[in-house]
C-alpha cells in the first residue's frame, strides 16, 4: 500500500522500499520465462506464464497502490482483465446487471461468451437509475459499469447503484479505464473491483497491450488462478513498458486534463461543431457529478460535426497533427469514428438513439501543446 504518499510519488516509486547500494535506479526487465528451481522444492515454481516473476509482480503492486487496493494483478490485455474479473465472480446460472453504456468489446464478451456459460445479463441505462433495483432477481450476483463512458464521456453517479449492490449483496465491478487512478479511484467510492485497460493511460505510449484488475487479496488470488488456467498472464516486457509508462502517469494525466478542457472550450465556440461532449463543460449532463468525483475531467472529447459522414471524412483526412487511429490515451492525439470502431455492431439508428449520430468523432487529446491540437482541428474543419 502507498500509505499516505500522493499518487504522483506512488506512480514513480510504487511501494517505497529500501534501495540496496549499487542497485539500478531504473527497474531491470527480467524477461526470463522460467527460473532455476531448487531440487526437491515443493514451493510454487517461478514461471512467467504464472505471472509470478519479478517484473510482472512489481507492476501489479504499483497498480494496487495507485488504486488504493489490497491487491492487483496485471494481465495480458484489458479484455483479459474484464473476462477474468467476471469469471471470478459469476457461475453458470448467475445473473449480471450491466450498464448499457459500455465498451463494444465488453458488450460482445457478455453477449457472446458469458451467455455461453449460462450467465444471464440485463442491461440498464444509467439515466434510468430506478432500473438498477428493478433488475435484481434470484441469482443476481454482480453489477458492472464503466465510468467515464465511451464515447459520450458520461460520468456515472455510483450512489444509487451502490445502495442496491449493498442491499442485495452484489459485487460492484467498475471499468475505470477512461479516468485512470489519477482522475478516479472507484474503490474509494465503494466499488469492490476495478478493471482497467492498461493499454490506455497506464502505459500511455501506444506501444503495449495490457490490463489489470484490483480489489481484495482473496479476489485477486482467484483472478490470478484463472489467469494461469486461461493463459492470460502479461509478458514481462509489456509489464516493464506499463511500469515505464506509470512513472509519468500523473504528469501526463494533468496535461491530458488541461488539453481536454482547452479543446472542449474551443470546440464549443465553433459553428461547424454542433455538439461537444466533455464533462468539464457546464453544458454536459454530468458536469456536477464529474466535478465532485473526478480529480480531472480527462483528455477524451466527443465532437458532433454538422454534415454527417461526409463532413467527418473530410475533417479526418485533413488532420496533420491528430492521428486517425482507434484506441486512446497515448501521448499523441488520436481520433476515431465510433461508427467504424467501438460501435460498428450498432445500426446508424441505434447510434443516433444513444446520442452519437453519423458525423460524431471521438478525440483523445494527447500531451502536445494545446494550441497545436486546436490549430490542427481548426484548419481541418474550416
Ligand atoms: C480499450 C478498452 C478495453 C479493452 O482493453 P484492451 O487492452 O484493448 O484489451 C476495455 N474497456 C475500455 C473502457 C477500453 O477503452
Amino acid at each position: 500500500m502507498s500509505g499516505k504518499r500522493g499518487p504522483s510519488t506512488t506512480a514513480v516509486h510504487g511501494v517505497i522500499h529500501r534501495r540496496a547500494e549499487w542497485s539500478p535506479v531504473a527497474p531491470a526487465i527480467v524477461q526470463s520465462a522460467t527460473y532455476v528451481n531448487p531440487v526437491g522444492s515443493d514451493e510454487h515454481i517461478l514461471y512467467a506464464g504464472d505471472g509470478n516473476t519479478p517484473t510482472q509482480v512489481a507492476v501489479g503492486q504499483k497498480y494496487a497502490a495507485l488504486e488504493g487496493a489490497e491487491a492487483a494483478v496485471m494481465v495480458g490485455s484489458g479484455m483479459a482483465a474484464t473476462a477474468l474479473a467476471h469469471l471470478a465472480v459469476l457461475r453458470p446460472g448467475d445473473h449480471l446487471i450491466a450498464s448499457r453504456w459500455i465498451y463494444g468489446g465488453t458488450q460482445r464478451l457478455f453477449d457472446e461468451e458469458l451467455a455461453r456459460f449460462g450467465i444471464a445479463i440485463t442491461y440498464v441505462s444509467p439515466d434510468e437509475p430506478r432500473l438498477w433495483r428493478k433488475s435484481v432477481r434470484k441469482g443476481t450476483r454482480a453489477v458492472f459499469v464503466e465510468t467515464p463512458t465511451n464515447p459520450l464521456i458520461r460520468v456515472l453517479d455510483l450512489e444509487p447503484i451502490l445502495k442496491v449492490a449493498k442491499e442485495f449483496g452484489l459485487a460492484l465491478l467498475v471499468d475505470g479505464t477512461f479516468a485512470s487512478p489519477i482522475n478516479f479511484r472507484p474503490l474509494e467510492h465503494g466499488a469492490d473491483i476495478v478493471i482497467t485497460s492498461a493499454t490506455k493511460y497506464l502505459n500511455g505510449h501506444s506501444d503495449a497491450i495490457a490490463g489489470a484488475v484490483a480489489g481484495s487479496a482473496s479476489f485477486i488470488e482467484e483472478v490470478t488462478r484463472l489467469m494461469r488456467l486461461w493463459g492470460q498472464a502479461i509478458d514481462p516486457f509489456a509489464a516493464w513498458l506499463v511500469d515505464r509508462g506509470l512513472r509519468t502517469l500523473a504528469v501526463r494525466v494533468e496535461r491530458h486534463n488541461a488539453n481536454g478542457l482547452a479543446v472542449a472550450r474551443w470546440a464549443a465556440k465553433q459553428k461547424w461543431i454542433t455538439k461537444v461532449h466533455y464533462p468539464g463543460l457546464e453544458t454536459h449532463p454530468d458536469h456536477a457529478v464529474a466535478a465532485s468525483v473526478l480529480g480531472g475531467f480527462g483528455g477524451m472529447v466527443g465532437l458532433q460535426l454538422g454534415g454527417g459522414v461526409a463532413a467527418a471524412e473530410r475533417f479526418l483526412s485533413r488532420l496533420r497533427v491528430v492521428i486517425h487511429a482507434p484506441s486512446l490515451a497515448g501521448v499523441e492525439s488520436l481520433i476515431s469514428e465510433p461508427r467504424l470502431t467501438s460501435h460498428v455492431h450498432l445500426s446508424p439508428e441505434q447510434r443516433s438513439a444513444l446520442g452519437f449520430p453519423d458525423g460524431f468523432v471521438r478525440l483523445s487529446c494527447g500531451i502536445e501543446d494545446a494550441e497545436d491540437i486546436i490549430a490542427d482541428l481548426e484548419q481541418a474543419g474550416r
Side-chain angles (χ1 to χ4, degrees):
M1 297 284 288
S2 61
K4 279 158 202 63
R5 290 190 182 89
S8 302
T9 308
T10 303
V12 172
H13 292 284
V15 182
I16 301 266
H17 56 281
R18 210 184 153 78
R19 291 174 183 271
E21 285 172 4
W22 303 113
S23 62
V25 169
I29 314 176
V30 189
Q31 182 66 23
S32 188
T34 188
Y35 288 70
V36 178
N37 214 29
V39 175
S41 167
D42 61 358
E43 277 183 56
H44 197 111
I45 58 160
L46 276 188
Y47 182 56
D50 282 357
N52 60 358
T53 70
T55 309
Q56 296 166 310
V57 170
V59 71
Q61 287 173 342
K62 184 185 272 191
Y63 177 64
L66 282 167
E67 291 288 4
E70 208 170 79
V73 61
M74 196 64 58
V75 298
S77 68
M79 285 305 297
T82 307
L84 295 171
H86 285 87
L87 288 175
V89 170
L90 301 165
R91 299 284 171 274
D94 282 352
H95 172 238
L96 170 72
I97 302 173
S99 166
R100 205 178 274 290
W101 302 341
I102 57 175
Y103 178 68
T106 305
Q107 167 128 30
R108 289 191 56 199
L109 174 77
F110 289 170
D111 292 343
E112 296 173 28
E113 296 306 301
L114 290 192
R116 224 155 55 84
F117 288 93
I119 293 159
I121 295 135
T122 301
Y123 292 102
V124 167
S125 257
D127 54 359
E128 294 185 78
R130 60 190 179 84
L131 292 185
W132 296 111
R133 173 182 302 276
K134 275 197 141 171
S135 303
V136 178
R137 62 186 208 206
K138 195 166 163 285
T140 304
R141 204 66 62 202
V143 181
F144 170 81
V145 302
E146 195 177 297
T147 184
T149 70
N150 181 29
L152 296 181
I153 333 296
R154 297 295 303 261
V155 180
L156 304 196
D157 177 7
L158 293 183
E159 276 306 318
I161 307 169
L162 266 172
K163 252 178 90 182
V164 175
K166 284 227 173 76
E167 184 178 336
F168 295 93
L170 316 176
L172 176 59
L173 296 89
V174 176
D175 180 336
T177 299
F178 271 39
S180 94
I182 300 301
N183 281 344
F184 184 57
R185 288 172 298 281
L187 301 182
E188 286 179 3
H189 295 269
D192 299 292
I193 294 143
V194 198
I195 297 164
T196 192
S197 167
T199 309
K200 314 295 168 53
Y201 287 107
L202 302 193
N203 168 269
H205 292 72
S206 309
D207 58 7
I209 300 289
V213 185
S216 71
S218 61
F219 180 77
I220 295 306
E221 197 179 310
E222 175 63 2
V223 172
T224 304
R225 187 184 75 84
L226 293 167
M227 172 197 77
R228 290 172 182 164
L229 294 176
W230 292 79
Q232 299 297 327
I234 189 170
D235 178 76
F237 185 50
W240 188 86
L241 284 172
V242 171
D243 180 67
R244 171 150 180 139
L246 279 175
R247 284 176 247 162
T248 55
L249 178 67
V251 287
R252 278 189 289 107
V253 170
E254 261 176 46
R255 176 63 74 86
H256 287 295
N257 289 341
N259 284 356
L261 192 58
V263 167
R265 284 188 174 146
W266 165 83
K269 291 191 227 122
Q270 309 308 308
K271 284 210 176 60
W272 52 278
I273 301 173
T274 54
K275 195 162 175 143
V276 183
H277 302 263
Y278 187 74
L281 297 180
E282 283 80 17
T283 51
H284 189 280
D286 306 320
H287 178 65
V289 179
S292 80
V293 301
L294 300 184
F297 298 112
M300 302 301 298
V301 184
L303 301 174
Q304 188 67 50
L305 308 190
V309 170
E313 289 186 347
R314 175 181 179 274
F315 174 67
L316 294 172
S317 59
R318 290 162 61 114
L319 289 167
R320 293 293 170 265
V321 175
V322 178
I323 304 166
H324 180 226
S327 197
L328 60 118
V331 291
E332 53 291 281
S333 291
L334 302 175
I335 195 163
S336 60
E337 284 183 279
R339 74 179 178 97
L340 300 175
T341 54
S342 56
H343 293 77
V344 68
H345 57 290
L346 300 181
S347 68
E349 294 71 32
Q350 287 173 314
R351 289 189 296 266
S352 281
L354 282 171
F356 47 103
D358 288 351
F360 179 92
V361 294
R362 187 195 73 181
L363 171 64
S364 166
C365 296
I367 63 166
E368 303 96 336
D369 296 286
E371 309 78 67
D372 291 331
I373 302 173
I374 288 169
D376 195 37
L377 299 172
E378 171 114 62
Q379 64 80 25
R382 229 178 0 230

